[in-house]
Structures are given as C-alpha cells and as structure tokens.
Amino acid sequence: MLDEVATDTMITQTSDSLYTQLMKTAGERLLAGNPGSVGEIRKQALERFKATGFPTVKNEDWKYTNVQPLVNQAYALEAETFSADTALEKARIPDLDAHRVVLINGQYSSELSSHEAIPGLQIMPIDQAFERLCFAKYFTAFADKTDNPFVALNTAAFTSGVFIEVGKNTQLQRPIHVIHVAASASPLFSQTRNLYVMGAFAEAEIIESFVTEESAARSLSNQVTEVMVRENAKLQHYYLQVAGPQSSYINHTEIHQEKHSLYNNYNCSFPGSAFVRNNINVRLGDSEVESHLYGIALTAGSQFVDNHTIVDHMKPHCESYEWYKNITQDTSTAVFNGKIFVRLDAQKTNAFQQNNNLLIGEKSAVYTKPQLEIFADDVKCSHGCTIGQFDNDALFYLRARGISEAQARILLIHAFAFDVTSRFDNDTVRQYVEHLVEEGLQ
C-alpha cells in the first residue's frame, strides 16, 4: 500500500513538473512578443488548456487512448540534436523524385532540405511566416475551434514547424516530401505547428514520413497541421508512420475545403512507434466538394495506434469516401473512431465509410466505432465495420498449392489491404507501402 502511495505521488510530481514546464514555456512565448494577433491567440489558447488539462479516459474521445502514462514522464522541452543520417535513409522512398523538407525534432533544417526555387511554391519555417497575409488569415481559423486540449496546448506553446504555400494556378510536377525526424539525445516533448495553404486551382502532393534516429532517446511529439484547400484546388496528402519504438505521437490534422476542391488523405502506420494518436478532421465547407480518406494500420508487439476521423458535410452536393483497415499482430491494439456529420444544409450529400479489421495476434485488440449523424433528409449515406481473423480455409488452399505458410499469410494480407492501397494516387508510394506491409509481417 505504501509503495502504491509512493508511486502515485511520484507520478503526480512528474506530471506537475511537465505541466509546469509547459506553462512556463507558454508564458515565455507570450513575453517574447509575437507579431500581429499571434500573442493574443497564444494567450487565449493557454487559458483553454488550463481549463481542461490533459485528457483522461473519462473523456469519450479518449476512452481507449490513455495518455497519462506518456504525460507522466519527465521530458526536456528543448532538444540536444545529433546526426539524422540513419533516419533519413529510413525515410527514403525508392524511385521517388520529390522536393525534400526535413524537420529535426520539429525544427526546419535548411541544410538537409531542398533549395531549388520553384515558381508559385513557398516553404519556410513557421516562425518566418507570421507576417504573411495568408498565415494571418488561416492560422488557428479552424483547428482551434475543436475541443482537443492538445491543439490548445500546441497553439499556446509551439516552438517549431513549417509553412507551405502552393500559389494560385500552380501545379507542382513533383511531390513535397516532408520528413519528420525524432533525434534527441535526451527525452523530449516537442510541439510542432504546420500550415499548408493550397491556392485556387493549385495541385500538389505532400508526403509526410515520421522516422526516428536509431540512437535517439524517447520522445513525445504533439503536432498540429492545418490545411486550407482553396477553390478548385487538389491535394494528395500521405502520412507514413515508420518511426522507432522510442517515439510517440499525438497528431491533429484539420482540413478546410472550398468549392470544387479535392482532398485525399492516405494514412499508413507500420510496426515501430509505441504510441500513435491521429485526429484527422475534414470540413467540407462549400458545395461541390470531394474528400477521400484511406487508412492502413499494421501493428505489432505492444504497439498502440488510434485513428480518429471527422468528415463534416456542411454544404450541399458534396461527396466523401472513407475506408480504414487495421491489421493487429502480437499484443498490439488498434482503435478506429470515424464520425460523419451531415448538416441541415448539406442536401444531396453522398457519404461512405467502412472499417475492416483483421486480428492476427490472439492477444491483440481492436476497438472500432463508426458514427453517422444526419440532419438533412435528401442524402445517400452508409457506414459499417467488420472484425475477423485469418481465413484458415484460404490459408490451407494456398499451402496445398505449394506456397509456404509465411508467404501465404503475406498474400492474404496483401489481398485484405488491396482495397485501400489500390486507391493510392501515387504508384511509387503505393509500391513502397505494399513493401512495408510485407516487411511488417515478417
């Protein structure tokens, strides 16, 4: 009993220490002065976070996602960085010709990033974008209207990140590969803020890879990314989670779309990172908007991957399509919570959502909660989910034809994942992801 009390006291003190550090950092950010309205935005966000604190499992959106063991650890708030050569090699996508943007512990690295000038493309550290007109227009315009306390904390005390603007009528011929590297010599809590703006009639691909330097200490990243897709713009957006077990992530992505725009998100997690929580919220804020969300989570060991999505149909004549698949091995856990809202004005909405789960590990777990809330009456909407295990008959069929059990399992997993991977717009990334699926099963 005394040991339990001592442990509880230690946890509380550690938690208080992190909380105190974060509050001090946020205060220093305010005192340092921020151009325009950024200082006031930080101040308001700090008050919102103070009112809620870190979420607990009593909060419905965090019911299966216990962040307390993460936030009850000691962290530095500034990184002692070192070489990221190994991590960059791990992030390499074979045959991908792309503009490269490297963030080490959230800090933009001009040395490791591409430097060629591309007409209509602006890429810079987030703190250099404060004076830009579109930064002032879209920064915190949507993400901070959510009730996610980690968003409020990030707004109050973010220290790094990247700003990307694809100008009006600009169609990029090569994708932008953003590489997030965790490479701290001591335990690190980092807060990264990104803002991506797609101008009217612009087209681009943004591929984000999350990797860990082999000798890095444990880390927790709280990242918020805001994406604005203007009228008639198109964005293909990939998340490739291939970080190491010492890295944990809480990511929030907020997307707002204007008329006739297209946004596709491809969210892939593979064995490695101990803890991943992704919030992906898409707001279809005008008529004639289209969005697709695809996800693959292949988990192993004691890994935890949680994907929470919101597709918010706010105006009429819009279409959304969402398909997530989870494959759990060993004692790992996968969570999917997908919400579709069809607002009163969103007549003629076409919305589809599907979640399929395959449990390979007998001690693995899946928690799934597809949700559909419809307030309009002239719509076409559907959602559903399935949970199952390996089809032993199919496995026997393949083995009877001379295929080894290991290879047969890989073939069956590829077939299971094909519904999602076949929809990838970039064939090079698709082949890379299919290779990672095979690698993650061995």
Side-chain angles (χ1 to χ4, degrees):
M1 186 67 179
L2 289 174
D3 289 342
E4 292 179 3
V5 172
T7 301
D8 290 342
T9 303
M10 182 180 67
I11 290 175
T12 302
Q13 289 174 344
T14 306
S15 180
D16 288 345
S17 176
L18 175 59
Y19 182 89
T20 302
Q21 283 181 283
L22 291 169
M23 294 305 98
K24 180 182 178 183
T25 301
E28 289 173 349
R29 291 276 157 189
L30 293 174
L31 292 173
N34 295 275
S37 61
V38 175
E40 183 60 30
I41 290 172
R42 285 189 184 274
K43 182 178 179 181
Q44 293 174 4
L46 182 60
E47 293 305 314
R48 290 199 304 275
F49 178 72
K50 284 181 178 179
T52 61
F54 294 114
T56 70
V57 292
K58 293 181 180 180
N59 183 309
E60 183 64 26
D61 282 342
W62 300 84
K63 182 177 181 180
Y64 302 110
T65 313
N66 186 6
V67 300
Q68 296 305 311
L70 290 175
V71 301
N72 286 336
Q73 299 183 46
Y75 298 96
L77 300 184
E78 294 185 3
E80 303 170 43
T81 59
F82 46 82
S83 171
D85 294 342
T86 304
L88 291 177
E89 179 59 28
K90 187 174 182 179
R92 188 179 69 85
I93 300 174
D95 302 321
L96 180 70
D97 181 22
H99 310 288
R100 189 166 77 168
V101 177
V102 179
L103 304 179
I104 300 180
N105 302 317
Q107 298 289 341
Y108 176 83
S109 172
S110 59
E111 179 183 350
L112 298 174
S113 301
S114 301
H115 292 286
E116 64 266 37
I118 307 297
L121 175 63
Q122 296 289 330
I123 301 176
M124 65 186 69
I126 192 77
D127 57 359
Q128 293 183 16
F130 286 174
E131 301 289 354
R132 298 186 67 85
L133 184 62
C134 69
F135 178 90
K137 186 174 183 180
Y138 299 122
F139 175 65
T140 71
F142 306 108
D144 283 71
K145 290 181 171 61
T146 67
D147 58 359
N148 184 350
F150 282 101
V151 172
L153 175 60
N154 180 284
T155 301
F158 72 90
T159 58
S160 58
V162 67
F163 170 80
I164 298 176
E165 181 182 8
V166 184
K168 183 178 180 180
N169 296 318
T170 300
Q171 285 88 40
L172 296 182
Q173 301 304 309
R174 298 159 61 200
I176 301 169
H177 190 190
V178 181
I179 303 174
H180 302 272
V181 181
S184 176
S186 57
L188 176 69
F189 180 83
S190 63
Q191 300 207 86
T192 304
R193 188 63 171 241
N194 307 313
L195 175 60
Y196 306 153
V197 179
M198 297 289 298
F201 296 92
E203 295 184 19
E205 278 186 311
I206 298 178
I207 303 165
E208 303 197 47
S209 295
F210 297 83
V211 292
T212 307
E213 184 63 22
E214 285 185 356
S215 55
R218 61 180 169 83
S219 61
L220 173 59
S221 170
N222 176 29
Q223 176 168 288
V224 175
T225 300
E226 296 176 290
V227 181
M228 182 66 199
V229 188
R230 298 293 306 276
E231 183 177 349
N232 285 285
K234 297 179 181 179
L235 177 61
Q236 311 289 338
H237 194 184
Y238 296 82
Y239 282 148
L240 306 177
Q241 179 57 258
V242 289
Q246 64 270 55
S247 298
S248 296
Y249 295 88
I250 298 173
N251 295 328
H252 184 102
T253 306
E254 192 78 20
I255 304 100
H256 192 88
Q257 294 182 250
E258 291 185 351
K259 193 170 185 176
H260 298 300
S261 64
L262 170 67
Y263 175 81
N264 290 343
N265 185 282
Y266 311 88
N267 179 18
C268 304
S269 294
F270 299 98
S273 179
F275 179 101
V276 178
R277 166 66 181 248
N278 293 315
N279 285 359
I280 301 177
N281 299 345
V282 183
R283 315 290 179 180
L284 290 74
D286 212 332
S287 59
E288 306 291 344
V289 170
E290 185 174 351
S291 297
H292 297 164
L293 304 182
Y294 300 109
I296 287 283
L298 173 62
T299 59
S302 57
Q303 191 177 20
F304 178 91
V305 175
D306 178 0
N307 288 306
H308 268 58
T309 67
I310 292 178
V311 179
D312 193 352
H313 287 263
M314 304 166 70
K315 299 295 180 180
H317 300 283
C318 293
E319 180 176 333
S320 68
Y321 190 96
E322 179 175 14
W323 203 336
Y324 265 70
K325 294 203 172 189
N326 296 316
I327 306 159
T328 57
Q329 305 176 92
D330 306 319
T331 60
S332 61
T333 301
V335 179
F336 173 78
N337 189 325
K339 299 178 183 178
I340 296 178
F341 294 100
V342 182
R343 305 298 179 178
L344 184 63
D345 293 338
Q347 304 294 342
K348 303 295 183 182
T349 287
N350 186 1
F352 170 86
Q353 181 194 85
Q354 182 70 26
N355 172 230
N356 303 110
N357 303 279
L358 182 61
L359 286 79
I360 300 177
E362 293 183 0
K363 296 183 179 180
S364 66
V366 168
Y367 300 94
T368 177
K369 188 179 180 182
Q371 296 174 266
L372 182 58
E373 295 188 24
I374 303 174
F375 302 95
D377 53 16
D378 187 6
V379 300
K380 183 180 179 181
C381 301
S382 64
H383 71 151
C385 70
T386 63
I387 300 177
Q389 295 177 313
F390 250 130
D391 185 340
N392 289 324
D393 290 340
L395 191 63
F396 176 79
Y397 177 87
L398 291 172
R399 294 194 66 189
R401 278 148 183 80
I403 300 174
S404 69
E405 182 176 354
Q407 190 60 35
R409 285 177 176 270
I410 290 173
L411 288 173
L412 290 174
I413 295 298
H414 273 303
F416 178 77
F418 180 78
D419 294 319
V420 171
T421 58
S422 64
R423 288 168 166 77
F424 282 30
D425 187 72
N426 188 310
D427 192 57
T428 300
V429 176
R430 178 189 61 78
Q431 293 179 35
Y432 173 69
V433 166
E434 290 178 347
H435 170 71
L436 290 177
V437 169
E438 182 173 343
E439 194 175 64
L441 290 168
Q442 293 175 350

